[in-house]
Amino acid sequence: RFLIDLFMTTDPEAPASKLIHGKITYMEFLPLFEEQVTTASAAQKIQLPQTFNVSKFFDDCFDFLKPNQLLLDSISNLQEAGLKVCFLGNVALIDGPSGNNFTRKKTDLRFICDYYFESCQVSLARPNPKFYQYALEKMNVKPNEVISVEALEDLAKVASSIGITGITAGDQSATLKKLSELTGIDFEKLSRPVACDPDNVTHSYFTTTIPFLAKLGYRAIALDQRGYGESGHPPNVEDYCLEYITQDVIDLMDKLNIPQAVLIGHDWGSAVVWNTVLHYPDRVKAIASLNVGYIPAHIRHAMSQKMKGDAKQFDYILYFREEGPVEAELERDVEYSLRYMYSDTTPKNTSKIVLDTTNVRKRGGILAGLPKELPKCPFMSDKEFAHYVTHYKKNGFHFPLNWYRNEPRNLKRDASIGRFKIRIKILVALEFKMIFQPALMVTAEYDIILKPELTMGMEQFVPNLTRDNLPCGHWTQSECPAELNRVLSKWLPKVSPN
């Protein structure tokens, strides 16, 4: 009872409350709760067993969790009758080794429920009525259209206080009887959950990486991100913020019933990888990033402010953020534009054409001042290059460019999740998010924009970091495919042996 009371406290500054509200992760919670237990036990003169260990205690709790098959089957009955099922729970971000088993179990619920809301993702938790109201709004339903099955009578009263029909779960048969009376559904006729549709995978730039990973025994999934290829093209600029894009990744994993995955990204894909592990650390086993390092929100903010004065090689980003001119320039001749984008920036380049992303706005465009003819891309086959030309001619550049136009939204979101304090060299305490998952950082020696030195110092934010550097320009997968596969083949078995 002593531990339960400590964990169930309503004090918003207590470690357990911060954990449930997503302000800290499980690995950050453990030492704080250990300290709280020690202090409280001394104050209350409670003698803890000499062998007591907080981490072991919670590991045992996770192992004790068992799937309730009758409940899972009952969900199918509700869905077959045309009802929607929502999970609304106080759930923490369980990272570290303990998260594997816990995440697999909760993913079963994500997989079969129509709606799934975790307290740690929205910073709201039961018994706060606002958590229930948040779910009602997201489901677009009225309170009197909802039945809430609660483990505690107090929680059922909270649900009832805002117009929801709240019932307290007793034993299984009594709970199902109450539900049967309210819905008219016969729960004795049980059926299996509906299987997912597997046709939600398309291809990407990792054309040589995918078959290599498959040969190693891994299941490799590459998705066209929103706005690219055969994926959807939502109309609004804000549709391309990382909040929605990372949710796409999680939705795909849910659709395919994948509890955890190793995420590998390049360029904007790297931003997706880093952002996904920031907001869904319990779903990510490890991450690999090509060219783009992890930059915490406070440093990105400082860089953004500095760019207003002298953007240097990032001037093209400021040009890309203005709707209209860049689309007109790039779409005038798609093949010409892509030849320049896919330029060779290594010492092997014998042409006089050098990719230049500085002073783009002053020059009047990214293609300003170039000759009429540009050399072919040296690291793509004609067939592969034609594939990209076809897709950009079909869909244009507007939707991919919208990714650049969401930095203020992305920064605001990331700045809101500071979960770990660390004292840096100038002895100023700053809050930002640490990444504890195993991470691989592959830099490109001749990337003129994302230079390797931009990743220096990452170790203080990503302590479990492995590095490699390849002799290529920006398009790492295409320029150094064999070298990249070699790096992955050494790293992946260490972080995901099975």
Side-chain angles (χ1 to χ4, degrees):
R1 189 68 218 181
F2 166 71
L3 291 174
I4 292 175
D5 288 343
L6 282 182
F7 192 84
M8 297 295 288
T9 178
T10 56
D11 179 5
E13 295 303 314
S17 182
K18 288 185 175 181
L19 176 68
I20 293 301
H21 283 80
K23 294 181 179 179
I24 58 175
T25 66
Y26 176 68
M27 294 298 290
E28 295 163 350
F29 158 80
L30 286 176
L32 298 176
F33 192 67
E34 183 92 55
E35 181 180 353
Q36 185 185 18
V37 168
T38 301
T39 303
S41 61
Q44 299 178 36
K45 298 182 179 180
I46 294 175
Q47 184 67 40
L48 295 174
Q50 290 185 347
T51 57
F52 176 77
N53 178 276
V54 166
S55 179
K56 178 66 167 56
F57 170 76
F58 282 104
D59 283 344
D60 291 342
C61 290
F62 294 144
D63 291 338
F64 182 75
L65 293 173
K66 304 293 181 184
N68 187 324
Q69 193 58 48
L70 182 60
L71 173 63
L72 298 181
D73 290 336
S74 300
I75 288 175
S76 294
N77 287 149
L78 291 167
Q79 292 169 328
E80 287 178 2
L83 300 179
K84 299 291 186 181
V85 177
C86 169
F87 173 83
L88 185 73
N90 289 1
V91 179
L93 294 171
I94 311 296
D95 53 353
S98 302
N100 297 341
N101 194 28
F102 179 81
T103 299
R104 181 170 295 278
K105 290 171 181 176
K106 79 169 186 177
T107 303
D108 288 337
L109 277 175
R110 293 185 71 108
F111 183 58
I112 64 173
C113 290
D114 300 288
Y115 301 95
Y116 183 94
F117 303 113
E118 296 180 348
S119 60
C120 59
Q121 293 296 338
V122 298
S123 295
L124 292 170
R126 297 151 71 221
N128 188 341
K130 290 183 179 180
F131 195 17
Y132 295 85
Q133 292 165 343
Y134 171 88
L136 293 175
E137 181 180 339
K138 290 295 183 181
M139 294 188 293
N140 194 26
V141 296
K142 299 175 182 178
N144 60 4
E145 298 175 312
V146 177
I147 301 169
S148 183
V149 181
E150 302 286 354
L152 302 174
E153 185 176 352
D154 288 345
L155 293 177
K157 290 180 179 178
V158 172
S160 299
S161 70
I162 61 172
I164 295 174
T165 301
I167 65 174
T168 305
D171 59 72
Q172 289 183 359
S173 59
T175 303
L176 293 179
K177 183 178 179 181
K178 289 181 182 178
L179 275 177
S180 182
E181 292 172 352
L182 290 168
T183 63
I185 297 173
D186 185 357
F187 289 98
E188 292 182 358
K189 298 179 180 179
L190 301 179
S191 61
R192 292 175 59 83
V194 178
C196 71
D197 178 5
D199 299 326
N200 290 298
V201 180
T202 57
H203 296 286
S204 184
Y205 283 97
F206 292 85
T207 52
T208 56
T209 311
I210 294 169
F212 178 77
L213 295 177
K215 188 176 181 180
L216 291 180
Y218 293 97
R219 181 186 185 186
I221 300 171
L223 61 153
D224 278 346
Q225 302 282 4
R226 57 171 64 194
Y228 287 90
E230 297 296 333
S231 289
H233 300 74
N236 303 311
V237 170
E238 58 267 28
D239 292 330
Y240 297 84
C241 68
L242 286 174
E243 178 180 2
Y244 297 144
I245 291 167
T246 55
Q247 184 63 56
D248 289 344
V249 176
I250 299 302
D251 287 346
L252 178 63
M253 291 173 64
D254 289 347
K255 190 81 172 179
L256 300 177
N257 198 19
I258 300 173
Q260 285 188 317
V262 177
L263 300 186
I264 303 175
H266 168 259
D267 195 82
W268 268 115
S270 294
V272 175
V273 165
W274 293 122
N275 214 261
T276 302
V277 75
L278 277 178
H279 293 272
Y280 304 94
D282 50 336
R283 302 301 299 275
V284 182
K285 184 181 292 186
I287 58 241
S289 176
L290 313 183
N291 301 56
V292 179
Y294 169 57
I295 306 175
H298 72 285
I299 296 180
R300 275 170 47 211
H301 175 72
M303 291 175 63
S304 180
Q305 295 300 310
K306 188 176 181 180
M307 279 174 58
K308 294 178 180 179
D310 182 7
K312 296 183 179 179
Q313 75 265 33
F314 299 108
D315 193 69
Y316 79 99
I317 293 178
L318 301 181
Y319 174 61
F320 283 2
R321 287 179 184 173
E322 183 182 351
E323 291 187 66
V326 62
E327 283 92 340
E329 181 185 32
L330 297 179
E331 291 172 11
R332 191 174 300 120
D333 186 337
V334 171
E335 181 173 350
Y336 183 93
S337 299
L338 290 181
R339 282 194 178 194
Y340 189 60
M341 296 296 185
Y342 295 136
S343 294
D344 184 359
T345 58
T346 71
K348 293 182 294 183
N349 184 3
T350 58
S351 75
K352 296 181 180 180
I353 307 302
V354 179
L355 182 66
D356 183 9
T357 59
T358 64
N359 299 314
V360 174
R361 293 170 295 165
K362 186 176 181 180
R363 297 199 326 256
I366 190 78
L367 305 176
L370 294 176
K372 292 183 178 180
E373 297 292 331
L374 294 179
K376 286 186 175 182
C377 174
F379 45 81
M380 286 188 192
S381 67
D382 290 345
K383 183 177 180 180
E384 185 179 7
F385 184 80
H387 170 80
Y388 298 122
V389 171
T390 299
H391 279 284
Y392 278 105
K393 281 185 176 180
K394 177 183 177 182
N395 301 316
F397 288 87
H398 173 71
F399 301 107
L401 286 168
N402 281 342
W403 286 55
Y404 290 92
R405 295 161 182 160
N406 276 280
E407 180 58 12
R409 296 182 184 88
N410 297 336
L411 191 60
K412 182 178 179 181
R413 182 187 185 223
D414 289 351
S416 68
I417 60 165
R419 298 190 184 115
F420 194 85
K421 286 188 176 181
I422 187 170
R423 191 164 293 275
I424 61 176
K425 291 180 181 178
I426 57 174
L427 301 180
V428 176
L430 295 171
E431 283 195 344
F432 49 80
K433 180 68 177 74
M434 299 281 285
I435 293 175
F436 294 100
Q437 280 84 346
L440 172 66
M441 182 68 242
V442 180
T443 50
E445 183 66 25
Y446 303 110
D447 190 329
I448 64 169
I449 303 171
L450 302 168
K451 300 177 181 180
E453 54 262 34
L454 293 176
T455 70
M456 299 306 294
M458 271 178 58
E459 285 79 357
Q460 64 176 317
F461 313 127
V462 190
N464 195 1
L465 184 67
T466 301
R467 284 184 176 273
D468 214 310
N469 186 56
L470 299 182
C472 60
H474 180 70
W475 306 101
T476 305
Q477 311 95 295
S478 298
E479 295 184 54
C480 286
E483 293 88 342
L484 176 61
N485 288 344
R486 173 185 55 78
V487 172
L488 291 174
S489 68
K490 290 183 177 181
W491 177 74
L492 273 171
K494 297 177 183 178
V495 299
S496 185
N498 59 343

